[in-house]
Amino acid sequence: MKSKFSFCNKIIFLLGFYFLLLTTATNFLRAQPTNSDSTNSVSEAPAVIPVLQIKADQVVAEVSPTLYGLMTEDINFALEGGLYAELIRNRTFKANPTNAVYWSAVGNGAISVDASTPLNDALNVSLKLDASLASKDSPAGFMNAGFWGIPVHPNSKYCVSFYAKSVGRFSGALTVKLQSVDGKTVYSSAEISGLSGEWKKFEFSLFTKDVAPSKDNLFVITADAPGTIWFQQVSLFPPTYKNRPNGTRPDLMELMAGMHPSFLRFPGGDFLEGHQLDHRFDWKKTIGDISQRPGHMNDAWGYWTTDGFGLLEFLEWCEDLNMQPVLALYAGYSKNPKVIQPGADLQPYVQDALDEIEYVTGDASTKWGAQRIQDGHPTPFTLSYVEIGNEDFFDKSGSYNGRFAQFYDAIKAKYPQLQIISTVGNDHPESLRVHSRTPDLVDEHFYKTEEQMEAQSHLYDNRPRTGPKVFVGEWATRVGSPTPNMAGALGDAAWMCCMERNSDLVLLSSYAPLFVNVSDLAKGGSMQWRSDLLGYDALTSYGSPSYYAQAMFSSNHGDHVLVTDSLNVPTYTTRSGRQVPSLFFDATRDSRSGTIFLKIVNRLASPQSVHVKITGANNVDSSAEAVVMSASSPDDTNSIQDPTKIVPATSNVDGLGADFTRAFPPYSITILKSKTN
Ligand code: AHR
């Protein structure tokens, strides 16, 4: 008995040894900064210099051309009160059924939400203005303060539109003004007449002069004669990106363009599903003339959406930034919990998804392609990826396996070229994953602290390449609020090294959330989720250090991942007392130009010297372009007040070549672009 037991032990030992050998060999090939030899825990520069070896003639993987993308949904006033350039809050008076929230009466006016005078079935209420006491000397009306202010920019054109009707013919005039909150400055105004007993759309422009930019302003409409007037869809648009009607905010589009994103995952996120079925993103109600869109309660994040930014607007966003859409399809699960079981009950939702794909990709001969053309976009969009639902690991009923299969079969039958993504990745238990079909990709989400991100910076190095590819559809180092600080950017950079090094497996990745309106950070205000990539108020915007880290990574990589290896990679003691690596890296090479992109992240509070050896490349230039972002503290950050405190700087550095030692600054992300033959 005793000897049999020790025989078993020997087998286990041998198996363990074999496994160790295998892991070490794989690690070597997959080029991770290993921890195994990192005995020194440091908060100062390590005594032993770490060595990075780059084997420029050994390619371990192709860099996925779609590795860096964007993910979006309406959270943190990302669309309404964010990217969607509409400046009027609650323009359709539907945010509250009984109260004209975000509107106030002016002068002797009295306002109310009136369900008896709808514009149409979609906009089935209106704002009733009782201006019975109005006169030229004492106008009566109403006003809106926008989404925490109405921005006024110099020399700009503002497009105003609204529907209005009166009791019989209204003999007076309406005055429409863009003015400061104290009323002392009127930036622009217009007088409108011609109201009658029928609904009529009024459209005109307001122009500002050479004024200082400001946001504490109001949009005001007043009547100068007694009467009762109803209004619907009161809208004010500033200049938009590429001058698209019903378009987007130029400053935010320009920030995103700086990231060179390859795709956009939309429309969520929880926003896709809603907490209740009726509050999902019901795409057919988000297309066509905006006056025919009913809007819906965004119950996932607690505010009304007009759906003025609907399916076609998401697609035009893709077009404007040269991104491909990654279309998330509602898959019969809302978090309430509401599960539509696979089978006949689910079929209408499957059909809805097929129709949606047709709207995106179809030509004039198809019903929904023709609808898109009628909506103003003749050219079909190119679509390669669709995702079935969102985070269906929350559905503990086990229905996802069957729901996925039903969508998968219907989509593959009609669109065999589409890659179909499951929302349950290998980061969730086997029992929740899809087994009924083999997804083309699985979506894995990571919201982590800095040390957790750094600790998992080898996560994919050893994952078998036999299963589905990975879409990291939501990830963020959640440090800093409302937007991440330098610690967040360092965690992100460590994680991006991992994803880039493994981009034969990780085909797509997108940080989330993308946007936050920082105007009101109190509970119930403009932020529902902290640590968001881009911050803004009504007037200006900024990128977080995490934004700049991502822009650095996505703008600077080759098409080949090179084999790398490391020695003496030190660890540091995190705030919670944990030991995690303090140095992260990966190397890619552009196969056409030969340029090697070496990314090095130093998490230490002190400069860290690193010995870099490049083999397998001819004539590595001794000088290179270096893009460096560093901070004096991990808590350093950007904000509306100080938008560019932490930004990358580009310079030429010498003393490099195929074998060099260089000190990397404290809390830094560096990209060295070495030319080779
Ligand atoms: O990004 C915020 C939320 O996090 C998303 O809506 C959801 O998919 C995830 O849980």
Side-chain angles (χ1 to χ4, degrees):
M1 184 72 181
K2 195 177 169 205
S3 69
K4 196 171 167 197
F5 191 76
S6 72
F7 176 74
C8 281
N9 275 353
K10 272 184 201 150
I11 295 284
I12 289 167
F13 175 80
L14 280 173
L15 279 174
F17 184 68
Y18 175 73
F19 181 74
L20 195 75
L21 270 180
L22 203 70
T23 311
T24 312
T26 322
N27 280 349
F28 183 80
L29 275 179
R30 194 133 296 286
Q32 65 184 23
T34 57
N35 263 340
S36 50
D37 54 2
S38 314
T39 42
N40 49 335
S41 141
V42 285
S43 53
E44 293 302 318
V48 183
I49 292 182
V51 181
L52 304 187
Q53 185 171 19
I54 294 129
K55 301 186 178 180
D57 52 353
Q58 292 184 36
V59 175
V60 77
E62 301 279 312
V63 177
S64 165
T66 51
L67 181 60
Y68 297 104
L70 303 176
M71 183 269 168
T72 192
E73 64 177 315
D74 210 338
I75 180 175
N76 303 321
F77 292 83
L79 302 177
E80 305 263 329
L83 185 68
Y84 185 39
E86 173 63 81
L87 296 178
I88 302 296
R89 188 164 183 187
N90 191 20
R91 73 177 179 199
T92 57
F93 313 107
K94 292 185 74 177
N96 183 301
T98 53
N99 224 326
V101 287
Y102 312 114
W103 294 94
S104 316
V106 170
N108 286 324
I111 55 171
S112 56
V113 174
D114 186 355
S116 68
T117 314
L119 175 66
N120 54 39
D121 289 347
L123 301 184
N124 55 1
V125 298
S126 56
L127 183 85
K128 180 179 177 184
L129 170 65
D130 174 356
S132 47
L133 300 175
S135 67
K136 275 206 178 337
D137 293 338
S138 179
F142 59 106
M143 65 186 189
N144 190 282
F147 294 89
W148 298 277
I150 293 200
V152 166
H153 294 276
N155 307 312
S156 300
K157 176 181 168 186
Y158 289 76
C159 298
V160 183
S161 64
F162 56 78
Y163 293 84
K165 72 180 242 182
S166 50
V167 178
R169 202 180 142 271
F170 178 60
S171 57
L174 297 176
T175 302
V176 179
K177 283 191 284 193
L178 205 46
Q179 66 170 61
S180 59
V181 166
D182 61 13
K184 287 183 183 158
T185 313
V186 174
Y187 296 103
S188 186
S189 72
E191 221 175 74
I192 304 297
S193 56
L195 273 73
S196 71
E198 299 299 322
W199 280 112
K200 182 171 164 190
K201 187 171 185 185
F202 296 86
E203 286 180 283
F204 52 96
S205 303
L206 295 175
F207 295 90
T208 57
K209 298 209 169 79
D210 195 13
V211 294
S214 62
K215 70 177 171 60
D216 292 329
N217 305 306
L218 301 170
F219 176 78
V220 183
I221 300 183
T222 51
D224 65 359
T228 302
I229 308 170
W230 289 267
F231 293 85
Q232 185 44 279
Q233 200 166 270
V234 180
S235 170
L236 174 69
F237 268 89
T240 58
Y241 191 67
K242 296 192 175 176
N243 292 320
R244 271 197 195 277
N246 200 41
T248 51
R249 247 177 91 155
D251 56 338
L252 294 176
M253 291 295 272
E254 275 150 23
L255 275 170
M256 288 184 283
M259 296 167 72
H260 307 295
S262 59
F263 69 88
L264 175 70
R265 172 182 174 230
F266 66 88
D270 289 2
F271 182 65
L272 168 72
E273 310 160 286
H275 281 188
Q276 292 171 45
L277 179 63
D278 286 352
H279 297 160
R280 71 191 185 282
F281 182 82
D282 195 352
W283 74 270
K284 285 177 181 160
K285 295 181 179 164
T286 75
I287 57 171
D289 187 307
I290 55 171
S291 71
Q292 298 298 330
R293 304 184 195 180
H296 75 281
M297 186 61 196
N298 171 6
D299 65 350
W301 305 113
Y303 54 93
W304 182 262
T305 167
T306 62
D307 287 323
F309 201 88
L311 178 58
L312 187 55
E313 286 74 21
F314 280 110
L315 292 164
E316 288 172 341
W317 174 5
C318 292
E319 186 165 85
D320 284 350
L321 294 189
N322 202 17
M323 308 180 283
Q324 59 171 299
V326 173
L327 185 63
L329 303 165
Y330 180 75
Y333 173 68
S334 301
K335 283 214 167 91
N336 199 16
K338 173 78 187 171
V339 175
I340 295 149
Q341 292 298 333
D345 288 351
L346 191 63
Q347 202 46 38
Y349 299 91
V350 174
Q351 189 56 51
D352 240 29
L354 293 173
D355 293 348
E356 189 171 1
I357 296 169
E358 189 174 284
Y359 184 88
V360 176
T361 62
D363 61 23
S365 67
T366 64
K367 176 179 173 193
W368 290 103
Q371 179 66 51
R372 188 203 62 246
I373 294 167
Q374 192 183 316
D375 292 345
H377 202 283
T379 321
F381 294 89
T382 304
L383 183 70
S384 303
Y385 296 100
V386 293
E387 179 156 15
I388 310 302
N390 174 57
E391 293 196 337
D392 289 78
F393 47 81
F394 280 114
D395 169 14
K396 305 294 186 229
S397 76
S399 74
Y400 190 54
N401 208 28
R403 288 189 289 113
F404 184 88
Q406 200 168 331
F407 278 86
Y408 182 98
D409 291 349
I411 293 168
K412 285 279 184 191
K414 193 159 178 203
Y415 302 101
Q417 76 282 11
L418 285 182
Q419 299 282 292
I420 303 187
I421 305 166
S422 155
T423 69
V424 185
N426 289 11
D427 50 335
H428 288 283
E430 271 289 345
S431 58
L432 294 174
R433 295 183 213 159
V434 167
H435 297 288
S436 53
R437 300 291 179 276
T438 305
D440 296 305
L441 293 95
V442 291
D443 185 354
E444 302 187 351
H445 293 177
F446 301 99
Y447 291 109
K448 302 279 181 187
T449 63
E450 185 200 357
E451 67 179 68
Q452 287 169 337
M453 266 319 193
E454 290 164 352
Q456 69 166 33
S457 64
H458 318 298
L459 185 77
Y460 292 121
D461 293 356
N462 298 320
R463 179 169 301 178
R465 278 10 193 200
T466 47
K469 302 285 186 190
V470 174
F471 171 26
V472 184
E474 293 179 29
W475 66 269
T477 308
R478 295 189 70 193
V479 194
S481 180
T483 48
N485 55 23
M486 188 63 189
L490 290 164
D492 290 347
W495 177 237
M496 285 188 284
C497 283
C498 174
M499 292 195 290
E500 192 167 278
R501 198 167 55 239
N502 290 283
S503 64
D504 58 324
L505 177 70
V506 181
L507 297 191
L508 308 96
S509 74
S510 43
Y511 188 103
L514 177 59
F515 292 128
V516 61
N517 187 320
V518 300
S519 301
D520 176 7
L521 300 178
K523 199 167 185 299
S526 58
M527 179 175 77
Q528 290 80 49
W529 185 284
R530 61 177 174 75
S531 301
D532 308 289
L533 202 62
L534 302 173
Y536 48 87
D537 61 14
L539 196 61
T540 60
S541 53
Y542 68 97
S544 62
S546 289
Y547 160 79
Y548 287 106
Q550 218 176 119
M552 283 171 74
F553 270 65
S554 59
S555 313
N556 295 289
H557 62 78
D559 52 343
H560 286 160
V561 179
L562 301 180
V563 169
T564 51
D565 195 13
S566 63
L567 267 181
N568 307 326
V569 169
T571 60
Y572 79 104
T573 310
T574 67
R575 286 176 199 192
S576 72
R578 191 170 168 193
Q579 294 296 308
V580 299
S582 68
L583 182 70
F584 309 90
F585 67 96
D586 82 297
T588 59
R589 189 181 195 187
D590 186 302
S591 57
R592 285 143 306 186
S593 66
T595 300
I596 294 174
F597 298 83
L598 173 60
K599 296 181 170 116
I600 296 192
V601 183
N602 174 21
R603 176 53 183 76
L604 294 183
S606 49
Q608 188 164 186
S609 288
V610 180
H611 182 179
V612 176
K613 293 182 188 178
I614 301 176
T615 56
N618 297 329
N619 302 327
V620 184
D621 270 11
S622 61
S623 60
E625 188 177 289
V627 187
V628 183
M629 183 164 79
S630 63
S632 46
S633 154
D635 299 328
D636 282 356
T637 199
N638 297 336
S639 62
I640 282 283
Q641 293 75 26
D642 199 352
T644 51
K645 185 180 168 76
I646 310 285
V647 291
T650 303
S651 63
N652 278 317
V653 294
D654 295 318
L656 307 181
D659 192 327
F660 64 91
T661 298
R662 183 175 177 79
F664 292 85
Y667 305 124
S668 68
I669 302 165
T670 299
I671 302 177
L672 295 175
K673 300 195 243 178
S674 297
K675 292 210 169 88
T676 67
N677 286 335

